Amino acid sequence: MLNNQKKMENQDTQNMFENMGLEYNTERTPLIIPEYGRHIQKMIEKAITIEDREKRNNTAKSIIAVMGNMFPHLRDVPDFQHKLWDQLFIMSKFQLDVDSPFEKPTSDVLIKHPDTLQYPQNHPKYRFYGNNIKKMIEVCVRWEEGQLKEALKYAIANHMKKSYLIWNKEAVEDEVVFQHLYELSDGKIDLTETKEFLTNSSELIKTKQNLTKRNSTQTKKTKKTKSS
């Protein structure tokens, strides 16, 4: 009994809305570009049904003017009018046949995917060294033999050792770093037979810990200053 009464009340409410010319949101067509609202979309749907071409063109221009007035702060943006015309055709589902001052877009613009970004994965085998190491190695290889090049080789090796310790908590032998450097340089930088030693792992770890503490202290001081 109660269910029948609720159904009758719902039917009466629906009839009342229909008599008033109102619509349920669930019965409306989805907004293609919600920023412009329902009225703009209805104006475009109405323009599609106009048979006279000149009248249809004038209606389209009027709609463009209204769309532009909704975003006056964008009038000085380059190609603003071009974007408005493109959006007009998109909201009409490309069914509006009018004379546009710009090239008419096609439905392909909505399904076009951006080009795939090429990430610089030059040496994925040893990612923990980073791409800057690879660039430093390339520069070092181009240098002429001499004391500066020799110093750069060990600077690169030390930096590699520090990077290794950042991602690997355990100590690393110099021979391992030299072997990695040999591989990353395609055999052009060979320190495997050297008798020189790199910076001790414990010193590099201490340096990293000191930097971490210093950054933490500075952050705390900054927070105290802001709070006071």
Side-chain angles (χ1 to χ4, degrees), residues 7-226:
K7 287 181 180 179
M8 292 177 63
E9 289 177 355
N10 291 336
Q11 185 64 39
D12 292 339
T13 304
Q14 186 173 356
N15 292 336
M16 181 182 69
F17 276 115
E18 289 176 355
N19 293 332
M20 294 172 63
L22 301 176
E23 299 174 316
Y24 285 108
N25 278 332
T26 54
E27 296 176 347
R28 294 175 171 178
T29 55
L31 291 174
I32 299 174
I33 303 181
E35 288 82 352
Y36 288 106
R38 179 73 55 185
H39 293 299
I40 292 292
Q41 185 157 321
K42 283 192 172 184
M43 291 167 65
I44 295 172
E45 292 172 356
K46 180 65 177 178
I48 295 173
T49 62
I50 299 174
E51 295 183 0
D52 183 76
R53 186 173 187 83
E54 184 178 354
K55 187 177 180 181
R56 194 166 61 244
N57 281 331
N58 292 333
T59 303
K61 292 176 182 177
S62 299
I63 295 173
I64 289 292
V66 175
M67 291 168 62
N69 289 334
M70 294 176 67
F71 304 98
H73 58 287
L74 297 177
R75 289 191 174 186
D76 295 331
V77 175
D79 297 331
F80 179 55
Q81 285 291 318
H82 195 170
K83 292 176 182 177
L84 290 178
W85 279 96
D86 285 350
Q87 291 171 341
L88 176 71
F89 287 114
I90 291 171
M91 285 190 285
S92 72
K93 297 181 180 179
F94 307 96
Q95 297 176 8
L96 184 60
D97 183 17
V98 292
D99 299 324
S100 169
F102 308 99
E103 184 180 354
K104 295 180 182 179
T106 62
S107 57
D108 294 337
V109 299
L110 298 180
I111 58 175
K112 184 179 179 180
H113 297 287
D115 297 332
T116 304
L117 290 175
Q118 299 297 325
Y119 290 95
Q121 297 293 345
N122 297 322
H123 49 93
K125 187 176 181 181
Y126 303 121
R127 292 183 181 180
F128 47 84
Y129 289 128
N131 288 311
N132 287 333
I133 285 292
K134 185 66 176 176
K135 293 177 182 178
M136 291 169 66
I137 292 173
E138 291 172 355
V139 171
C140 183
V141 168
R142 291 197 298 268
W143 281 15
E144 294 182 2
E145 294 295 336
Q147 291 183 351
L148 285 177
K149 183 171 183 177
E150 198 67 19
L152 181 58
K153 289 179 183 179
Y154 283 97
I156 293 172
N158 270 311
H159 190 69
M160 288 173 63
K161 187 172 184 178
K162 184 166 65 175
S163 299
Y164 188 100
L165 292 171
I166 290 174
W167 298 103
N168 302 274
K169 303 299 182 182
E170 299 178 0
V172 57
E173 297 294 333
D174 292 352
E175 290 77 10
V176 174
V177 176
F178 293 152
Q179 183 60 38
H180 291 174
L181 178 59
Y182 181 81
E183 293 178 27
L184 293 174
S185 65
D186 297 325
K188 295 176 182 177
I189 299 178
D190 187 5
L191 298 178
T192 54
E193 301 297 329
T194 186
K195 295 181 180 180
E196 297 286 338
F197 295 100
L198 300 178
T199 305
N200 191 276
S201 296
S202 59
E203 293 181 12
L204 290 173
I205 293 173
K206 285 180 181 178
T207 304
K208 184 179 69 172
Q209 290 174 344
N210 291 335
L211 286 173
T212 303
K213 289 180 181 178
R214 189 183 305 169
N215 291 334
S216 178
T217 304
Q218 289 177 350
T219 303
K220 289 179 181 178
K221 287 182 179 178
T222 305
K223 288 181 179 179
K224 288 181 180 178
T225 305
K226 289 182 178 179

